[in-house]
Amino acid sequence: MSKKNAYKDTLNLPKTDFPMRANLVEREPKRLASWDEENLYHKVQAKRKADGCPKFVLHDGPPFANGDVHMGTALNKLLKDFILKSRSMSGFETPYIPGWDCHGLPIEFKVVKEAKGLEPAEIRRRSEAFAREYIDIQRKSFKRLGVLGDWENPYLTLDPKYEADIIRVFATFVERGMVYQSKKPVSWSYGAQTALAEAEVDYEDKTSPAVFVRFPLLNDTFGADTSMVIWTTTPWTLPANLAIAVHERFDYVVDEFAHEDGRTLRLVITKDLIEAFGEKTGFRPVGGPHAQTVKGQAFEGMEAQHPFLDRQSKLITAPFVTAETGTGAVHIAPGHGQDDYVAGLQHGLEILSPVDDDGLYTDEVGVPELVGTHVFKANGRIIEILEEKGALLGQHPYEHKYPFCWRSKTPIIFRAVEQFFIRIDDIRNKALEEIKKTTWLPSWGQNRIAGTVEARPDWCISRQRTWGVPLPVFRTPDGGWIIDAEIARKVAEITETEGTNAWFELSDAEWAKRLDLPEGTKKGRDTLDVWIDSGSSHVAVMDRHPELHRPADVYIEATDQHRGWFQSSLMVSVATHDAAPYKTVITHGFVVDTSGKKLAKSGTGGKPMTAIHFYDKYGADNVRLWAASVDYNSEVPFSEELFEQVVDAYRRIRNTLRILLGNLHGFDPSKDTVPFEDLTLIDQWILTRLHQVTTNCRQAFDAYEFRKVYNELNQFCAVDLSSLYIDITKDRLYCDGLDSTRRKASQTAIATIMDTLCRLLAPIISFTADEAWEALGKPDSVHMERFPEADDIPASDRAVSQVQGLLEARHVIQKAIEDARQAKTIARNDEAVVTLTAPKDHVLHQLADDAPALTEFFIVSAIQLEEGEVLGAKVTASEAEKCARCWRYVDTVGASSAHPELCHRCVSALPEGFSLS
RNA sequence: GGGUCUGUAGCUCAGUUGGUUAGAGCACCGCCUUGAUAAGGCGGGGGUCACAGGUUCGAGCCCUGUCAGACCCA
């Protein structure tokens, strides 16, 4: 060892096994294994229960058992984990039963695509296998991310017991008289051959062939050969036209319209759209002597001739007619549209829908050559027919938002089919009342779900699918329907023990026999909407698990669930329990790419967006810290570059923990703790800051504002600890003697800081906090602990105001030192001799007597305080010798003959019997 | 077209009930340190707080309007 390092071994340098390099990717799985081994989740629950803690129930919204966990799914589960862990540490028992949504189109779709022509029971077996495979994949990811829960006993909507409860929920709806069967236009996907729920519909841009079509009026009130003109973007629905709707208050012009090519026709167009009509078709009003303007009401009760069928079209008035596009006269096909259907009911029109499951025309279409043609391929032929009949006045491509099937990506057609419905009006008002009683975070969520519930039509609950819970209804030999609660409950009993595959495997005759139904009765072919499945989870899970309770304290999912799970759960709960299933509903935004587009599961531009990519590369705690750092109230922009910013923050926090741990080496709290009154100013100050940080973090945890926790702790580590407190106290920690009270004072503060930081960080970076906790020598996991109480951390207002004054001066001094450094007068802070001036009433003067405190705080050689007008600092180089041990420039160096290179403090800090030789 | 939300440094965000010169982290530039070292410290550049009005002694914050983006609905 060279001479200049001769005293190095006498320093108390930080010492810890807590490594700087986290190596989370290897370290975390080991910790996870030990959590598993000690059954940490159950251990924590048991402890809270033993302590008599009240329960806090977060009811898990089941992700779909399909695909890898991507960053959006990860965010959702991590937010849940933050809530549960923080509530647990606040003194609640927090049982968590994770779940999966298993039935439904996406899985069946994949199974059916892989192998065509399978029997229903085989489709179901393969679908179940598929779901279970992804449940395992997802469970692995969620566990790897450090989410604590009862992973060995999750709820699955394919569990026969769960399925039986779904059927019982259906029975309740039947009992309340809310279920009915009807032919009704529904959003029909010919690609997936099923009716779709609204939530299963995506809107995309589509170009449709828009046509203007003439319907001759069979009434010569406005002159012979007068025609109504309609505009439609779906020419294929014209064979099902049964009426034309006008607005009763709009003005309609009846006039001769002349075309550039010489044709002249007498037409009816609403006043506001005449110009647009002229531009699109070339027909413009001539303004002749027979022109007149009438209100729409005038047409009510008239009839018009269908352009190519031997049928009349009724003229009606309807409030949904607009004067924005078209002609002010709307083509009505009650079998092909919601508005049309309602208008049809009011005017006694037939629900005509001559289209089959594949989207092909049936015999009913009335045009023999079109039978068997796909409706979207028929548009061209229909336009030709219109042209042949002289009914076509114009056509143009029209781009608009059009509904598409969410899975098969094919455009939706509205088509009337026999379906089963739940009558929403029976529970709508109660549901709205319950919405008001619920807390919605963010608060605008209340408007969103209330709006949805107010406007939603009856709930179409039947699906023409195989992978789902059977809709337990029967058809009598004479073609009637048996919709009966008692029978449904019997079906529930049977499937609970035999599985719902029994519904598909047992014959009609066997079912009739088992249920005492007349011979020849046939079971229904439909399955239930999957929103009934997940919407029944509070019945099948919350009511069934003794450790849970109703209502749940919190539901938290992405914003799309206002229309999905939050709503279906509410409807089921109001019907079965006459109350909402939740007290508070929180929503979070989607994870989107940096341009604001929703992330596809596969990622954007080939970049991986699965959670596995991130925890395998950076570790789960970095993913967790990321999730805590984002503003989940709105969309969450995401890219790997943004993610890496959080990785930097993690490193800083980890390093801070490491140096704190290193400086606690040899500290025995039971013997070495210094009372608060005896701590130095800076120690009192950092503990006061810790007190504030604890208060703020606990409030933020309670309010589910994890980003605030992140900001608070990040700031505390980076600014208060790293650049101030640790930097300042390094000298005494390293260079003071082992028994120095000042050193122990800092260690006292650091011990409290470490203890508090670990607990506050535990819900967020659960692995690292536990690792640090272990490094502190604590026997149990940090997750068994409670949060610190802010009031248990001593605080001093005086320390805050004095340090605030010191910080002001520090800024001024550092600037002066920087100038000196640039001028090469000095190289290091501690070479500086500072003359500081401050106004007479400045708080600095309270500290004038304590020179060592000042030089320590500013990390300078010497400081002289004078009165002056404003804060100011002058810097000169110290003329003192540099202590070989602590590197300070102090005038006591050389005073000792035994150690002429050392300052007074260092001489006395040397271990007993130390000698240079 | 209707409703909701968002708009503060190059990027991600803080900014308490309106109150001095709007703050952090990352990135960038310069310097110091090598006893937190695949670390740490100091300094710097960079902001018309989307825009325009209004209330007020005083507005990033409150009010009105405009623009842009997002989401839901039509």
Side-chain angles (χ1 to χ4, degrees):
Chain A
M1 189 175 283
S2 70
K3 202 184 172 196
K4 76 172 180 184
N5 282 332
Y7 293 103
K8 182 168 177 176
D9 290 343
T10 70
L11 297 171
N12 307 306
L13 293 182
K15 190 177 172 189
T16 176
D17 293 332
F18 189 83
M20 173 184 297
R21 296 194 65 196
N23 202 3
L24 297 176
V25 176
E26 281 178 32
R27 210 178 294 273
E28 285 172 343
K30 289 177 191 160
R31 187 160 297 276
L32 210 45
S34 78
W35 286 350
D36 254 0
E37 203 176 318
E38 66 175 320
N39 210 344
L40 182 60
Y41 164 75
H42 288 287
K43 211 168 147 189
V44 172
Q45 297 318 309
K47 179 160 197 236
R48 298 291 182 262
K49 191 171 191 167
D51 290 348
C53 294
K55 278 184 184 173
F56 180 91
V57 173
L58 182 154
H59 179 50
D60 193 36
F64 199 69
N66 178 18
D68 287 328
V69 173
H70 57 94
M71 290 306 270
T73 329
L75 175 65
N76 173 268
K77 271 292 191 289
L78 289 175
L79 290 173
K80 286 170 179 166
D81 196 49
F82 297 159
I83 293 172
L84 289 163
K85 286 206 178 106
S86 60
R87 281 298 195 277
S88 173
M89 294 185 80
S90 296
F92 289 91
E93 187 187 340
T94 54
Y96 179 52
I97 313 293
W100 274 275
D101 200 8
C102 306
H103 296 123
L105 196 59
I107 291 176
E108 183 177 346
F109 208 77
K110 280 187 184 162
V111 168
V112 170
K113 250 181 171 173
E114 277 170 21
K116 282 183 177 146
L118 298 174
E119 290 297 309
E122 181 58 20
I123 291 176
R124 291 172 58 81
R125 275 190 290 273
R126 291 190 183 196
S127 294
E128 174 164 352
F130 183 100
R132 288 192 184 275
E133 185 189 332
Y134 277 99
I135 287 166
D136 281 342
I137 289 172
Q138 293 188 4
R139 171 164 47 195
K140 226 170 146 185
S141 277
F142 293 144
K143 285 180 76 171
R144 176 65 187 80
L145 284 167
V147 178
L148 283 186
D150 197 351
W151 292 110
E152 305 321 308
N153 303 293
Y155 76 84
L156 308 182
T157 60
L158 58 67
D159 181 341
K161 285 188 175 132
Y162 192 117
E163 291 180 321
D165 277 337
I166 295 170
I167 293 173
R168 292 186 188 105
V169 162
F170 172 79
T172 304
F173 278 117
V174 173
E175 232 155 36
R176 295 192 56 163
M178 293 169 66
V179 178
Y180 67 94
Q181 184 276 331
S182 167
K183 206 172 179 186
K184 193 169 176 180
V186 292
S187 297
W188 182 268
S189 165
Y190 58 80
Q193 298 212 348
T194 184
L196 294 179
E198 285 174 80
E200 294 172 320
V201 172
D202 291 332
Y203 287 82
E204 288 170 28
D205 286 326
K206 178 181 187 288
T207 303
S208 297
V211 291
F212 289 92
V213 181
R214 180 169 79 91
F215 281 61
L217 277 170
L218 297 172
N219 180 307
D220 52 10
T221 309
F222 302 110
D225 297 326
T226 301
S227 293
M228 299 301 293
V229 182
I230 63 95
W231 177 82
T232 180
T233 58
T234 52
W236 63 268
T237 61
L238 285 170
N241 172 283
L242 293 175
I244 294 169
V246 294
H247 198 289
E248 57 180 357
R249 288 194 307 275
F250 287 0
D251 288 321
Y252 291 82
V253 170
V254 188
D255 195 1
E256 303 293 332
F257 282 67
H259 193 273
E260 299 141 14
D261 66 10
R263 276 185 291 167
T264 302
L265 292 166
R266 191 166 172 80
L267 306 174
V268 180
I269 308 281
T270 193
K271 203 174 166 183
D272 295 344
L273 288 165
I274 282 180
E275 209 178 312
F277 174 70
E279 277 165 25
K280 294 282 191 214
T281 64
F283 281 100
R284 298 180 193 279
V286 299
H290 301 295
Q292 55 178 310
T293 301
V294 295
K295 293 286 181 195
Q297 212 167 7
F299 298 98
E300 198 164 13
M302 293 184 180
E303 287 193 328
Q305 177 58 44
H306 192 284
F308 55 85
L309 293 174
D310 182 19
R311 191 164 69 210
Q312 283 76 50
S313 200
K314 266 173 112 170
L315 279 142
I316 60 176
T317 60
F320 56 80
V321 176
T322 69
E324 280 160 21
T325 50
T327 60
V330 175
H331 149 59
I332 299 290
H336 291 299
Q338 182 60 28
D339 285 339
D340 305 48
Y341 170 75
V342 173
L345 285 186
Q346 284 168 354
H347 293 88
L349 303 174
E350 186 194 344
I351 300 166
L352 175 61
S353 189
V355 179
D356 69 12
D357 290 0
D358 293 314
L360 310 179
Y361 280 124
T362 64
D363 293 344
E364 282 186 298
V365 71
V367 183
E369 63 166 303
L370 287 177
V371 175
T373 305
H374 193 281
V375 293
F376 284 118
K377 291 191 179 136
N379 277 332
R381 180 61 193 136
I382 285 179
I383 292 170
E384 279 172 25
I385 293 172
L386 291 171
E387 195 146 27
E388 285 161 16
K389 301 278 182 185
L392 186 72
L393 301 183
Q395 60 172 305
H396 61 97
Y398 184 73
E399 195 181 329
H400 55 156
K401 295 279 182 198
Y402 194 84
F404 281 76
C405 173
W406 68 333
R407 294 306 301 181
S408 69
K409 307 295 179 200
T410 50
I412 297 299
I413 56 178
F414 287 98
R415 164 177 180 255
V417 289
E418 290 203 335
Q419 297 286 2
F420 289 85
F421 294 86
I422 286 175
R423 197 172 283 112
I424 293 297
D425 276 341
D426 295 0
I427 50 173
R428 198 186 306 273
N429 287 339
K430 181 64 186 170
L432 288 169
E433 267 176 46
E434 290 298 310
I435 286 170
K436 279 186 203 152
K437 287 188 208 160
T438 302
T439 304
W440 301 88
L441 297 173
S443 57
W444 49 261
Q446 176 165 346
N447 283 336
R448 179 160 291 184
I449 191 166
T452 309
V453 169
E454 272 164 22
R456 78 157 295 161
D458 283 352
W459 187 354
C460 177
I461 57 167
S462 47
R463 292 289 182 281
Q464 291 64 52
R465 304 309 311 177
T466 304
W467 181 228
V469 175
L471 201 156
V473 295
F474 293 85
R475 188 140 217 179
T476 57
D478 59 2
W481 288 99
I482 302 173
I483 307 174
D484 184 278
E486 276 316 302
I487 290 169
R489 284 186 205 283
K490 279 187 200 161
V491 173
E493 295 296 312
I494 292 168
T495 55
E496 183 161 9
T497 51
E498 300 177 28
T500 43
N501 269 6
W503 176 265
F504 297 86
E505 283 165 346
L506 298 182
S507 68
D508 288 332
E510 275 174 281
W511 274 108
K513 198 175 151 198
R514 288 230 204 168
L515 297 169
D516 254 344
L517 296 170
E519 214 174 305
T521 302
K522 290 183 172 170
K523 65 192 177 193
R525 296 176 173 277
D526 293 344
T527 52
L528 284 160
D529 177 17
V530 290
W531 291 107
I532 297 263
D533 289 28
S534 56
S536 300
S537 64
H538 49 83
V539 175
V541 181
M542 256 153 60
D543 291 350
R544 296 283 185 188
H545 277 74
E547 69 265 46
L548 303 178
H549 64 223
R550 166 186 295 275
D553 293 282
V554 165
Y555 274 39
I556 172 169
E557 304 299 333
T559 51
D560 57 341
Q561 301 304 335
H562 281 129
R563 297 219 304 154
W565 190 55
F566 298 149
Q567 197 198 175
S568 61
S569 296
L570 177 66
M571 292 306 178
V572 170
S573 188
V574 166
T576 57
H577 292 74
D578 218 31
Y582 34 63
K583 286 191 215 162
T584 297
V585 178
I586 307 172
T587 53
H588 60 84
F590 287 107
V591 175
V592 298
D593 68 20
T594 39
S595 66
K597 275 189 151 181
K598 190 171 166 179
L599 281 183
K601 275 176 192 154
S602 52
T604 313
K607 286 177 192 162
M609 289 303 167
T610 58
I612 191 168
H613 168 80
F614 288 93
Y615 62 64
D616 273 355
K617 187 168 171 186
Y618 302 94
D621 266 359
N622 275 306
V623 180
R624 298 180 65 95
L625 193 62
W626 164 77
S629 76
V630 301
D631 176 9
Y632 67 77
N633 282 314
S634 52
E635 293 158 323
V636 179
F638 183 79
S639 68
E640 189 148 354
E641 209 184 335
L642 291 177
F643 185 87
E644 279 174 353
Q645 290 198 9
V646 176
V647 175
D648 285 329
Y650 172 83
R651 284 205 196 98
R652 171 89 75 153
I653 292 169
R654 184 177 180 92
N655 259 314
T656 306
L657 293 176
R658 178 165 181 269
I659 186 125
L660 293 177
L661 276 167
N663 281 309
L664 282 176
H665 180 70
F667 179 75
D668 179 351
S670 61
K671 286 187 219 154
D672 300 330
T673 298
V674 176
F676 186 72
E677 314 81 67
D678 297 340
L679 298 180
T680 69
L681 172 61
I682 187 80
D683 302 318
Q684 293 194 352
W685 170 77
I686 196 71
L687 285 175
T688 308
R689 277 289 297 134
L690 185 69
H691 177 101
Q692 293 166 349
V693 166
T694 303
T695 305
N696 294 342
C697 284
R698 292 212 50 181
Q699 275 174 8
F701 272 124
D702 284 350
Y704 312 105
E705 292 171 340
F706 310 112
R707 155 173 237 151
K708 260 192 180 165
V709 176
Y710 167 81
N711 280 327
E712 195 76 30
L713 294 175
N714 190 28
Q715 189 99 344
F716 183 65
C717 287
V719 180
D720 299 299
L721 283 172
S722 198
S723 76
L724 284 173
Y725 184 73
I726 294 170
D727 213 34
I728 288 166
T729 55
K730 254 183 203 171
D731 175 70
R732 60 166 104 147
L733 287 165
Y734 296 179
C735 306
D736 270 18
L738 270 177
D739 294 330
S740 149
T741 307
R742 286 156 45 81
R743 183 164 184 274
K744 285 180 181 169
S746 275
Q747 290 182 307
T748 299
I750 288 172
T752 306
I753 291 166
M754 265 311 285
D755 182 276
T756 304
L757 267 186
C758 284
R759 295 169 198 251
L760 291 176
L761 285 167
I764 311 286
I765 45 175
S766 299
F767 294 93
T768 305
D770 203 42
E771 188 188 347
W773 192 250
E774 192 182 308
L776 277 172
K778 311 275 186 174
D780 276 328
S781 167
V782 71
H783 301 295
M784 302 284 286
E785 300 295 322
R786 302 279 191 91
F787 278 143
E789 296 296 333
D791 288 345
D792 291 345
I793 301 167
S796 159
D797 289 344
R798 192 183 54 90
V800 169
S801 70
Q802 289 187 340
V803 170
Q804 201 181 337
L806 288 171
L807 286 172
E808 280 172 38
R810 182 175 185 268
H811 188 64
V812 174
I813 291 172
Q814 290 298 356
K815 247 181 170 161
I817 288 176
E818 186 63 27
D819 290 343
R821 194 158 35 206
Q822 297 291 336
K824 304 288 178 194
T825 313
I826 58 170
R828 297 166 46 118
N829 239 54
D830 50 15
E831 288 175 54
V833 171
V834 178
T835 308
L836 183 63
T837 55
K840 192 179 176 184
D841 55 348
H842 197 280
V843 69
L844 275 173
H845 291 290
Q846 293 176 15
L847 303 162
D849 294 342
D850 195 358
L854 292 177
T855 55
E856 183 190 46
F857 188 89
F858 300 120
I859 319 180
V860 295
S861 170
I863 193 153
Q864 188 167 2
L865 186 58
E866 294 174 354
E867 275 181 27
E869 291 287 303
V870 289
L871 267 180
K874 274 186 200 155
V875 169
T876 56
S878 173
E879 288 167 8
E881 293 288 313
K882 179 181 180 180
C883 172
R885 184 171 174 273
C886 69
W887 299 345
R888 293 185 307 163
Y889 292 77
V890 248
D891 49 19
T892 59
V893 175
S896 161
S897 55
H899 301 282
E901 290 177 290
L902 299 193
C903 68
H904 179 71
R905 185 269 312 265
C906 283
V907 172
S908 58
L910 289 173
E912 219 169 305
F914 176 83
S915 143
L916 262 182
S917 49

